[in-house]
């Protein structure tokens, strides 16, 4: 049971990490236009949050 | 606008108001210095209290800076062991692994082992170097007989204590017992390290015996749930050469509460000091 | 405040704050290990990895308690505002310390074996309390909080969702208490660490209860001003002009409405919502600085007449219609959309002896 949870969390975060790159370099500006001129360190800093919240962010993009 | 600026800049001293990006009012600065001092004192006190309240891990060493050599007879029952002229030593591999595989071709022969000594209160163990086993040259061999099992008790008695893995407990991890170490102990036992018993009351010559269940030292999978927990079991104490053993009756193992008695730490203190 | 996003918006105070955090954390870890070595000399020594696991664990616990105490403390005294101002950095630092504790534990307890280190530690055989798993769950929550500790996430998720996400800290805190209580403390016969843990939990709980009770009393003591039914809910008499100090505000509550802050800028009055658009800070406890309403939490500013942040910032808050009749202040309880211009209402402060500045 615990192993299952750990695997699910791991796979979820792995998908998020892959998706984080298009998000921080392009997709985020569709949700929040202010990220257009954001600095590179800021984009890097956004990677963990994006990897965690990616389903929500995807919904936000495709709902528009 | 100009009157506004006059009115509020700088913030009036009798009405201090903190804004992060403006210079802090004196009152706030004083308060922060006070808070930082308070936290520092508390942190100092807390670290001291917690460090001092730690239970002693006992007197054990793992001498990884000094590779040593041993000569003797290598046996595989109930566990890979080297029988030297003086004593019977458990042999384990590096990492969380037993030495079965590494020693496989050499069981029953006289060998020269190179490795590192683990030691707790006189109970010693060899951690084998990666290529630390050689057959002994015929002319060097001093013949050693295979030791016989010697029962110290005819009838089983009831023992209370904890199952741990021998390598961590003899010095590789300190403390190598206790509930926090549980996952490590189980991992070690799964890797083939010898299970030992830390009894709450024990005599000097039978301290930390190797656990033997049905003639072997590998702990069956279903008993892993008892590792690092306080248990009670029926067992007979025995000896193989100088190595203390405990012949445990599987069905008698029973979990008690997790809280250990402080008697054990007292025992360690008196045994060491 | 936001014009273009940057990784960290440092200023003098945040730099000092962060420097203190860094020095305290490294100092604490060093001291813990040093004490550990001095009081348990070889061959009685505690292994260095274990000492480090404990040092990071205890440090994380202390930091978590400080973080949880700052909130209610800032409600009790405005002097705690500097602690609150940069609490985010303290939170992220705490997460790093907790993460190091977890990585060390995974490495040394789960490593060097034949199994996946994460599963070896988290998925221990049944029959015991899975205290490691409690810690893992708590760490996931802290990771989520640390990862979203940026105004970008506040703007993206929206105030309500962001707040909800960060309220999970109380669940994580409970998990941490269980993690320690059913883990490390199970093998320590000494009662001191247990007592310290309980003392910490009691402090956090009581401070939260106290400030919570104060909030309830605030609402209770100032019964929401009733709307007079025959008056079409047009204007509500809320207070006297003499109750409002210069450059400060009075907070009022009208039945069925959010709290309203009535600010006095020189000799005119403006009414805005009491809730800051940034993190929901209590604007009414703020002050007018450089002609702008300034939030006590993070210094976000709004013009009293429009509720807009001065350029280049774009935050907006709701404004209310306000009127002065004699010495009484009247408010129309329906808020305007955020950023609506409402002309400040002048009044004569010299008419009454109450204000003789």
């Amino acid at each position: 049971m615990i192993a299952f949870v750990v695997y699910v969390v791991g796979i979820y975060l792995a998908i998020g990490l892959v998706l984080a790159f298009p998000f921080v370099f392009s997709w985020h500006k569709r949700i929040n236009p202010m990220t257009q001129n954001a600095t590179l360190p800021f984009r890097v800093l956004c990677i963990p949050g994006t990897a965690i919240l990616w389903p929500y962010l995807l919904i936000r993009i495709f709902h528009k | 606008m100009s009157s506004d600026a006059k009115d509020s800049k700088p913030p009036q001293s009798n009405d201090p108001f903190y804004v992060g990006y403006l210079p802090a009012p004196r009152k706030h600065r004083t308060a922060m210095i006070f808070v930082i001092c308070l936290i520092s004192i508390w942190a100092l006190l807390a670290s001291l209290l917690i460090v001092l309240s730690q239970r002693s891990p006992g007197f054990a060493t793992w001498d990884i800076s000094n590779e040593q050599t041993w000569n003797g007879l290598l046996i595989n029952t109930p566990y890979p062991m080297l029988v030297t002229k003086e004593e019977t030593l458990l042999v384990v591999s590096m990492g969380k692994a037993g030495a079965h595989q590494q020693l496989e071709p050499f069981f029953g022969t006289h060998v020269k082992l190179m490795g590192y000594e683990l030691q707790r209160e006189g109970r010693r163990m060899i951690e084998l170097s990666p290529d630390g086993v050689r057959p002994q040259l015929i002319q060097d061999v001093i013949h050693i007989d295979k030791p016989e099992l010697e029962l110290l008790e005819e009838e089983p008695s009831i023992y209370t204590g904890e199952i741990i893995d021998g390598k961590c407990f003899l010095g590789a991890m300190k403390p190598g017992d206790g509930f926090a170490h549980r996952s490590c102990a189980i991992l070690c036992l799964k890797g083939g390290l010898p299970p030992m018993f830390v009894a709450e009351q024990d005599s000097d010559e039978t301290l930390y015996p190797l656990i033997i269940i049905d003639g072997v030292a590998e702990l069956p999978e279903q008993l892993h749930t008892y590792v690092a927990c306080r248990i009670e079991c029926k067992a007979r104490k025995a000896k193989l050469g100088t190595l203390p053993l405990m012949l445990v009756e599987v069905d008698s193992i029973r979990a008690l509460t997790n809280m250990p008695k402080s008697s054990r730490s007292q025992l360690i203190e008196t045994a060491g000091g | 405040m936001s014009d273009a996003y940057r990784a960290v918006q440092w200023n003098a105070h945040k730099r000092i704050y962060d420097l203190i955090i860094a020095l305290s954390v490294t100092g604490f870890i060093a001291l813990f290990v040093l004490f550990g070595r001095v009081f348990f000399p070889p061959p009685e020594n505690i292994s260095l990895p274990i000492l480090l696991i404990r040092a990071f664990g205890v440090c994380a616990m202390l930091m978590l308690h400080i973080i949880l105490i700052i909130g209610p403390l800032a409600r009790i005294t405005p002097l705690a505002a500097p602690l609150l101002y940069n609490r985010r950095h303290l939170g992220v630092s705490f997460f790093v310390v907790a993460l190091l504790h977890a990585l060390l534990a995974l490495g040394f307890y789960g490593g060097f074996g034949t199994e996946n280190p994460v599963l070896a530690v988290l998925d221990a055989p049944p029959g015991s309390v899975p205290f490691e798993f409690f810690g893992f769950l708590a760490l996931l929550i802290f990771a989520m909080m640390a990862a979203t500790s940026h105004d970008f996430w506040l703007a993206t998720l929206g105030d309500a969702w962001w707040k909800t996400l960060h309220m999970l800290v109380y669940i994580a805190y409970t998990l941490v208490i269980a993690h320690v209580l059913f883990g490390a403390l199970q093998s320590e016969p000494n009662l001191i660490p247990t007592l310290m843990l309980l003392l910490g939990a009691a402090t956090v709980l009581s401070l939260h209860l106290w400030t919570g009770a104060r909030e309830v009393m605030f609402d209770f003591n100032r019964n929401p001003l009733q709307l007079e039914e025959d008056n079409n809910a047009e204007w509500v008499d809320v207070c006297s002009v003499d109750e409002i100090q210069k450059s400060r505000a009075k907070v009022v509550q009208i039945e069925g409405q959010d709290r309203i802050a009535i600010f006095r800028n020189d000799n005119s009055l403006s009414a805005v919502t009491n809730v800051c658009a940034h993190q929901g800070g209590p604007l009414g406890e703020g002050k007018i600085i450089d002609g702008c309403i300034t939030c006590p939490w993070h210094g976000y500013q709004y013009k009293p007449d429009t509720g807009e942040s001065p350029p280049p910032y774009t935050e907006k808050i709701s404004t209310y219609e306000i009127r002065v009749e004699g010495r009484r202040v009247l408010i129309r309880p329906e808020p305007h959309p955020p950023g609506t211009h409402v002309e400040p209402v002048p009044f004569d402060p010299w008419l009454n002896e109450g204000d003789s500045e």
Side-chain angles (χ1 to χ4, degrees), chain B residues 15 18 21 54 56 96 174, chain C residues 43-44 47 54 112 248 299:
Chain B
D15 180 19
Y18 174 84
Y21 46 81
Q54 292 174 114
S56 164
K96 296 176 182 172
K174 294 171 71 183
Chain C
E44 202 189 4
S47 299
R54 289 178 178 175
F112 309 103
R248 292 288 199 171

Side-chain angles (χ1 to χ4, degrees), chain B residues 8-29, chain C residues 13 74 77-82 85 245-249 263 281-290 292-301:
Chain B
S8 52
K9 208 162 96 182
Q12 293 146 325
S13 55
N14 61 345
D15 180 19
F17 182 72
Y18 174 84
V19 182
Y21 46 81
L22 298 178
R26 195 191 197 90
K27 242 174 137 179
H28 287 78
R29 269 191 234 185
Chain C
H13 283 186
T77 162
L79 287 177
Y85 179 63
Q245 291 178 323
K246 212 171 178 184
S247 295
R248 292 288 199 171
F263 272 95
L283 281 179
E285 291 167 29
K287 188 179 179 180
I288 292 189
I289 294 175
D290 294 342
C292 285
I293 295 168
T294 307
C295 179
W297 280 10
H298 302 94
Y300 271 57
Q301 289 193 309

Side-chain angles (χ1 to χ4, degrees), chain B:
Chain B
M1 276 314 257
S2 63
S3 65
D4 287 344
K6 240 188 283 163
D7 173 48
S8 52
K9 208 162 96 182
Q12 293 146 325
S13 55
N14 61 345
D15 180 19
F17 182 72
Y18 174 84
V19 182
Y21 46 81
L22 298 178
R26 195 191 197 90
K27 242 174 137 179
H28 287 78
R29 269 191 234 185
T30 317
M32 281 311 105
I33 290 169
F34 174 73
V35 165
I36 290 164
C37 290
L38 204 70
I39 291 175
S40 306
I41 292 168
W42 173 235
L44 191 79
L45 204 70
S47 64
L48 250 179
L49 276 175
I50 289 179
V51 165
L52 283 173
S53 71
Q54 292 174 114
R55 136 184 99 89
S56 164
F59 292 75
T61 52
W62 182 22
D63 192 3
I64 48 171
S65 58
N66 176 26
E67 193 180 47
Q68 301 179 38
T69 308
W70 288 268
N71 289 303
L73 174 71
L74 201 60
I75 58 172
N76 192 26
T77 42
Y79 193 85
M81 293 185 285
L82 186 76
V83 188
T84 67
K85 265 171 66 186
E86 295 84 24
E87 59 186 320
T88 315
L89 293 150
L90 291 165
V91 186
V92 298
S93 279
M94 286 191 155
K96 296 176 182 172
H100 306 73
Q101 271 192 326
Q102 213 181 336
L103 295 174
E104 185 62 51
F106 300 96
F107 288 124
T109 66
H110 285 76
V111 292
K112 179 172 158 178
L113 293 187
M114 276 154 292
Y116 305 92
E117 184 197 86
L118 293 137
Q119 195 249 109
R120 184 182 198 104
E121 293 156 68
R123 184 86 52 245
R124 303 207 295 163
M125 177 187 269
I126 300 170
E127 185 193 42
L128 204 55
S129 298
D131 53 351
V133 54
R134 308 269 157 76
Q136 245 184 311
L137 297 173
I138 307 280
Q139 62 268 31
D140 293 343
V141 170
I142 302 162
H143 184 78
I144 292 167
D145 283 327
K146 197 177 168 188
E148 292 295 323
L149 188 76
E150 179 193 340
L151 274 180
L152 299 180
E153 290 175 316
E154 282 304 321
E155 290 300 314
S157 327
I158 290 175
Y159 293 95
T160 326
E162 183 181 332
I163 301 172
I164 44 87
D165 75 282
K167 188 178 179 183
C168 285
F169 189 69
L170 293 195
M173 191 86 90
K174 294 171 71 183
D177 60 342
F179 202 64
H181 182 261
R182 183 167 190 268
S183 55
C184 178
I186 293 171
L187 184 66
C188 286
L189 295 176
K190 280 182 179 170
L193 288 172
M196 287 183 167
F197 193 76
V198 187
E200 282 170 13
Q201 349 52 36
D202 227 333
S203 59
D204 274 355
E205 67 271 23
T206 54
L207 270 179
Y208 320 132
L210 180 69
I211 293 172
I212 307 297
I213 290 167
D214 298 334
V216 290
E218 273 82 61
L219 204 66
E221 186 101 27
Q222 74 268 20
L223 294 185
H224 285 169
T225 87
Y226 294 111
V227 172
C229 298
R230 197 163 168 248
I231 61 155
E232 186 185 82
C233 65
K234 257 190 198 172
R236 282 178 299 166
K237 292 220 161 165
K239 260 190 161 178
L240 190 70
T242 60
L243 188 82
L245 306 176
M246 197 163 150
L247 311 179
V248 178
E249 295 178 8
V250 185
D251 301 335
S252 69
I253 300 177
R254 203 165 64 84
L256 303 172
T257 66
N258 277 329
M259 269 306 205
K261 277 186 187 163
S262 53
S263 61
R264 200 177 70 222
S265 22
Q266 283 161 11
L267 182 80
I268 290 168
E269 273 161 36
T270 46

Side-chain angles (χ1 to χ4, degrees), chain C:
Chain C
M1 297 199 192
S2 40
D3 44 347
Y5 283 125
R6 256 168 268 159
V8 186
Q9 286 203 311
W10 264 304
N11 59 34
H13 283 186
K14 288 190 186 178
R15 281 207 183 86
I16 295 170
Y17 199 114
D18 294 352
L19 190 71
I20 292 171
I21 297 174
L23 288 177
S24 312
V25 169
T26 43
F28 183 86
I29 303 291
L31 215 61
F32 194 98
V33 172
L34 183 76
F35 284 155
R37 283 281 141 148
V38 168
F39 293 113
F40 294 90
E44 202 189 4
N45 61 307
I46 292 162
S47 299
L48 188 63
I50 307 238
L51 212 48
L52 280 171
I53 291 171
R54 289 178 178 175
F56 279 107
V58 173
C59 185
M61 277 310 269
L62 284 175
M63 290 173 85
L64 182 58
H65 280 89
I66 293 170
I67 291 166
L68 287 175
I69 284 170
I70 288 176
L73 202 61
R75 306 293 304 147
I76 293 167
T77 162
L79 287 177
L83 290 174
L84 187 72
Y85 179 63
N86 201 27
R87 184 172 53 169
R88 240 182 232 192
H89 289 196
L90 186 58
V92 175
S93 313
F94 153 75
F95 169 70
V96 172
V97 172
L99 184 69
L100 285 171
H101 164 79
L103 290 177
L104 282 169
L106 283 181
F108 284 97
Y109 286 148
F112 309 103
T114 48
E115 297 197 352
N116 177 334
V118 180
L119 289 182
V121 171
L122 294 181
D123 197 19
S128 63
V129 181
F131 73 95
E132 295 101 336
F133 190 60
F134 296 161
F136 171 76
L137 291 179
L139 197 67
L140 282 184
I141 294 176
F142 293 135
M144 191 153 68
M145 293 176 59
T148 55
S149 281
H150 194 284
D151 277 350
F152 161 73
W153 290 109
L154 187 59
T156 303
L157 295 170
D159 182 57
W161 271 105
W162 191 85
K163 265 255 143 66
T164 310
L165 199 70
H166 283 241
M167 279 302 185
L168 291 178
V169 72
Y170 295 106
I171 294 177
Y173 178 63
T174 314
L175 284 166
V176 165
I177 298 280
H179 170 71
V180 178
L181 213 55
F182 293 112
L185 295 183
Q186 287 296 308
S187 3
E188 294 299 322
N190 199 313
L191 279 178
I192 287 177
T194 312
L195 288 177
M196 284 172 73
L197 184 73
L198 294 179
L199 182 73
T203 310
V204 167
L205 193 69
S206 54
L207 275 174
H208 277 82
L209 286 177
W210 184 24
T211 47
R214 269 169 49 123
E215 290 290 302
V216 172
M217 290 309 279
F218 175 89
D219 290 341
F220 184 76
N221 283 345
R222 303 171 194 216
N223 280 329
L225 297 153
Q226 302 293 321
L227 301 171
E228 286 165 38
E229 281 166 28
D230 54 329
N231 204 8
N232 288 332
E234 274 293 292
W235 294 91
V236 182
D237 182 334
V238 289
C239 62
S240 156
V241 290
D242 304 313
E243 292 175 44
I244 311 173
Q245 291 178 323
K246 212 171 178 184
S247 295
R248 292 288 199 171
K250 182 175 169 63
V251 178
V252 297
Q253 182 147 34
I254 300 174
E255 196 186 19
Q257 295 289 330
D258 287 335
R259 287 178 194 172
I260 300 169
I262 303 161
F263 272 95
R264 174 177 163 193
N265 184 17
D266 253 5
N267 297 330
S268 61
L269 297 178
S270 298
V272 296
T273 173
N274 190 42
V275 183
C276 178
H278 174 226
Q279 275 193 37
L283 281 179
E285 291 167 29
K287 188 179 179 180
I288 292 189
I289 294 175
D290 294 342
C292 285
I293 295 168
T294 307
C295 179
W297 280 10
H298 302 94
Y300 271 57
Q301 289 193 309
Y302 307 93
K303 291 189 212 155
D305 52 343
T306 60
E308 287 177 324
S309 291
Y313 307 111
T314 54
E315 282 75 16
K316 286 174 187 159
I317 51 170
S318 307
T319 51
Y320 290 82
E321 290 290 340
I322 185 167
R323 214 169 74 189
V324 175
E325 273 181 15
R327 306 306 293 169
R328 302 304 298 173
V329 180
L330 286 86
I331 285 203
R332 206 207 292 263
E334 282 303 316
H336 286 301
T340 307
H341 178 89
V342 175
E343 194 57 36
V345 179
F347 71 98
D348 190 345
W350 301 106
L351 265 178
N352 195 290
E353 71 287 348
D355 196 322
S356 52
E357 198 180 335

